[in-house]
Amino acid sequence: MSNVKLPIYLDYSATTPIDPRVAAKMAECLTIEGNFGNPASRSHSFGWTAEAAVDQARQQIADLINADPREIVWTSGATESDNLAIKGAAHFYRKKGNHIITLKTEHKAVLDTCRQLEREGFDVTYLEPLENGLVTVDMLKAVTTDQTILISVMHVNNEIGVIQDIEAIGEFARENHIIFHVDAAQSTGKVDIDLGKLKVDLMSFCAHKTYGPKGVGALYVRRKPRVRLEAQMHGGGHERGMRSGTLATHQIVGMGECFRIANEEMATENERIRMLRDRLYNGLKDMEEVYVNGDMEHRIAGNLNISFNFVEGESLIMALRDLAVSSGSACTSASLEPSYVLRALGRNDELAHSSIRFTIGRFTTVEEIDYTVKLVSAAVEKLRDLSPLWDMYKDGVDLNSVEWVAH
Amino acid sequence: MAYSEKVLDHYENPRNVGVIEDDLSVGTGMVGAPACGDVMKLQIKVNNEGIIEDAKFKTYGCGSAIASSSLVTEWVKGKSLDEAAEIKNTHIAEELALPPVKIHCSVLAEDAIAAAIENYRTKNQ
């Protein structure tokens, strides 16, 4: 145990550390000795060198997702990409229709953008996924109307790690001439993305979930068939008018490099991470009343979202102070509300309250996983010894039949 | 969230965890709801002089809820029922330095005392 450094970081879906190889490339683009120029400067070599670095990064993004570099628009992150994709497409195609379909389990960057469009007069359908977190084409078909202009479905869910069938959804959207947007913030380096095959029109990315820097992202905008967007950020007409603002060379170079590494290493990396995740799961699954949230099959290698019944989540997090994990999503854990994602799967409040998300990544070790198993098992046992609900469960009391005094 | 030293102490070393076997001298109060994220069960054992001679708790809830219930088991011991009923959530919140979002934990602990006393009195009417 002595070689385990505490706290153990198991929150790779919140963010990742920058890979040292990425940091080194970024550092080359900052100071007077480095590649600091404005990529938009046309009149001197500082601008040209910076532009070349940006072009290379654009190619690296395109390579990972099998796209054309001209289909990549730099943004400040996946939130901005989601905003640009959804608002941009909705505004541009509003004459065609005013209906948008998305999921209740999407990230807030998609949900709140859709809420804004509702205030502007659009109709939005928020589909409840199946109990395993997945959505089917038939479910989408059932709510599609002749007014539907846009479907937005995330590739990998940030909380439960399930992978949606964007291939099938894309086929459906294309047949029906509906724009298809995918938030892929959580999937790069974890799931293969081949935009030569996938009928996805718009795809959001960010760097910081894939061992790159925070503050940079990209939006894929399909050229054939061409997808049009109304710009949300106006200014110098950068990025073919779709997103103005001086390009942050160091950030962009960092994103390019981290996607290059992902492209080269994801196959072996995912195998190793899956082994660690299974080791964690196998260490915990034999406790009583333990439930995995979300489909185990269609799921990224590094995610384990698990509920420990009759144990309250916040006290569990407190007992696990030596672990950096999240209860619900990091964006909402400041509030006492149970996770809206788990609620949308039909999990009751108790199970939603008692969920912990472990996300494993590039720098996680076997020793850390073994330490985690021991710590979590001991904490759950301790808290169950304290829990009146556990006693009632053991006595065979049906907790749903109890008349609770809500407060 | 940062917890106070006292909350951490009660959470790490909860006092008087357990169950008292039920009889006429025992009052049991259970308050809260699983859906709200906390349930407290407080038991008091009252002697012939009407003094609380033992108290036990079990709590499903956050660290502050566990600490609040642990603290009141210490406080009610040796008190008469009327004296125990004087313990208010403000005393608990102050002792544990609870932040505003955790005040409801101290309210729940006060409710648990009241419920245990009421249960004892109902049984001994």
Side-chain angles (χ1 to χ4, degrees):
Chain A
M1 286 292 148
S2 55
N3 54 348
V4 174
K5 187 168 161 269
L6 301 177
I8 298 169
Y9 191 75
L10 290 172
D11 209 9
Y12 280 83
S13 280
T15 193
T16 56
I18 297 182
D19 189 290
R21 292 168 286 181
V22 173
K25 292 272 184 212
M26 292 175 69
E28 291 167 11
C29 304
L30 295 170
T31 60
I32 184 76
E33 294 82 22
N35 188 2
F36 74 91
N38 186 335
S41 295
R42 302 283 154 175
S43 50
H44 49 69
S45 64
F46 295 89
W48 305 331
T49 333
E51 190 186 25
V54 167
D55 284 347
Q56 190 195 12
R58 210 186 286 279
Q59 184 66 53
Q60 288 166 326
I61 307 301
D63 287 345
L64 179 67
I65 60 178
N66 191 22
D68 186 301
R70 290 169 295 179
E71 295 175 310
I72 306 301
V73 173
W74 298 114
T75 66
S76 62
T79 292
E80 188 191 332
S81 298
D82 289 341
N83 271 265
L84 175 56
I86 296 168
K87 288 179 189 160
H91 290 159
F92 195 91
Y93 293 100
R94 98 184 301 165
K95 284 205 187 78
K96 258 188 79 192
N98 73 335
H99 181 231
I100 297 165
I101 304 170
T102 189
L103 304 187
K104 282 189 178 171
T105 48
E106 291 291 312
H107 191 270
K108 290 284 183 189
V110 167
L111 293 176
D112 281 6
T113 301
C114 288
R115 291 265 180 246
Q116 172 59 26
L117 289 173
E118 280 186 283
R119 285 189 286 271
E120 294 174 17
F122 287 90
D123 274 339
V124 182
T125 301
Y126 301 91
L127 268 181
E128 192 150 295
L130 300 169
E131 225 172 78
N132 61 7
L134 298 172
V135 68
T136 64
V137 170
D138 285 343
M139 292 161 72
L140 290 163
K141 208 177 277 179
V143 295
T144 299
T145 71
D146 60 356
Q147 286 293 303
T148 308
I149 51 168
L150 176 69
I151 295 174
S152 180
V153 171
M154 72 205 314
H155 195 190
V156 169
N157 184 273
N158 49 310
E159 287 195 33
I160 53 179
V162 298
I163 305 166
Q164 299 289 354
D165 187 356
I166 58 171
E167 187 174 349
I169 299 169
E171 295 291 340
F172 168 75
R174 184 65 56 81
E175 276 165 28
N176 292 277
H177 310 287
I178 300 167
I179 303 281
F180 182 31
H181 167 249
V182 173
D183 179 344
Q186 295 281 354
S187 59
T188 46
K190 303 180 180 80
V191 186
D192 274 322
I193 300 171
D194 181 352
L195 288 167
K197 283 197 196 128
L198 295 169
K199 307 267 191 313
V200 172
D201 300 300
L202 299 160
M203 200 176 231
S204 303
F205 301 102
C206 68
H208 79 101
K209 314 276 194 197
T210 311
Y211 310 95
K214 295 163 189 62
V216 62
L219 179 66
Y220 161 85
V221 184
R222 184 175 287 282
R223 285 165 62 87
K224 285 179 192 163
R226 188 175 180 203
V227 176
R228 309 287 297 276
L229 295 178
E230 204 179 280
Q232 304 295 310
M233 186 81 80
H234 302 94
H238 306 75
E239 300 299 279
R240 296 178 307 290
M242 277 187 268
R243 203 279 192 176
S244 290
T246 295
L247 295 178
T249 314
H250 63 300
Q251 300 286 82
I252 287 168
V253 162
M255 181 159 177
E257 177 68 3
C258 76
F259 275 35
R260 180 194 69 77
I261 295 170
N263 203 9
E264 277 180 16
E265 300 181 357
M266 65 183 279
T268 44
E269 176 160 77
N270 281 325
E271 213 170 298
R272 193 186 74 88
I273 288 174
R274 184 181 306 280
M275 180 272 290
L276 292 175
R277 194 271 313 271
D278 291 346
R279 192 179 178 98
L280 176 62
Y281 177 57
N282 289 329
L284 299 175
K285 72 176 182 0
D286 291 335
M287 276 190 282
E288 280 179 87
E289 289 292 302
V290 167
Y291 299 90
V292 172
N293 298 305
D295 196 89
M296 205 59 182
E297 194 92 350
H298 301 97
R299 188 189 198 97
I300 56 163
N303 176 295
L304 185 65
N305 188 311
I306 197 164
S307 288
F308 302 94
N309 209 2
F310 313 116
V311 171
E312 192 271 339
E314 199 182 317
S315 61
L316 187 54
I317 290 269
M318 197 171 162
L320 302 178
R321 267 167 304 173
D322 286 339
L323 304 180
V325 292
S326 42
S327 179
S329 99
C331 302
T332 52
S333 56
S335 73
L336 300 172
E337 292 296 307
S339 151
Y340 70 88
V341 171
L342 299 188
R343 297 289 290 127
L345 305 191
R347 283 291 193 222
N348 64 29
D349 281 338
E350 292 94 302
L351 280 179
H353 270 301
S354 70
S355 76
I356 299 278
R357 180 187 73 177
F358 301 91
T359 44
I360 294 163
R362 185 168 291 169
F363 305 103
T364 310
T365 64
V366 172
E367 292 73 29
E368 288 177 329
I369 293 297
D370 291 347
Y371 189 93
T372 298
V373 167
K374 282 189 187 158
L375 204 63
V376 173
S377 308
V380 169
E381 198 177 325
K382 174 193 156 157
L383 290 168
R384 280 182 174 167
D385 280 345
L386 273 176
S387 169
L389 304 182
W390 178 248
D391 287 351
M392 292 165 83
Y393 163 73
K394 283 281 163 188
D395 291 342
V397 177
D398 175 11
L399 294 180
N400 293 318
S401 69
V402 177
E403 273 193 45
W404 300 101
V405 190
H407 57 284
Chain B
M1 182 180 321
Y3 290 94
S4 71
E5 288 289 318
K6 281 181 178 158
V7 169
L8 285 174
D9 179 40
H10 277 280
Y11 174 79
E12 296 290 346
N13 313 293
R15 295 17 158 206
N16 307 308
V17 178
V19 178
I20 305 176
E21 202 175 326
D22 203 19
D23 63 34
L24 269 184
S25 68
V26 176
T28 302
M30 184 143 76
V31 294
C36 306
D38 33 32
V39 175
M40 274 180 201
K41 182 181 169 194
L42 176 69
Q43 290 185 297
I44 51 173
K45 188 174 177 63
V46 184
N47 69 15
N48 293 335
E49 283 82 51
I51 300 296
I52 299 171
E53 60 173 31
D54 197 9
K56 298 269 187 216
F57 85 95
K58 289 236 173 175
T59 290
Y60 162 89
C62 65
S64 301
I66 291 168
S68 297
S69 32
S70 169
L71 177 69
V72 298
T73 58
E74 283 193 316
W75 278 2
V76 297
K77 274 202 232 180
K79 286 194 168 66
S80 70
L81 295 179
D82 287 342
E83 285 165 352
E86 291 293 306
I87 299 171
K88 294 295 169 213
N89 80 80
T90 45
H91 305 142
I92 301 163
E94 195 184 348
E95 172 71 13
L96 295 173
L98 297 182
V101 294
K102 294 296 179 190
I103 295 301
H104 70 275
C105 299
S106 61
V107 175
L108 206 59
E110 180 188 323
D111 291 350
I113 302 174
I117 293 173
E118 191 190 308
N119 178 256
Y120 172 80
R121 285 187 167 145
T122 310
K123 281 158 79 177
N124 289 280
Q125 261 171 4

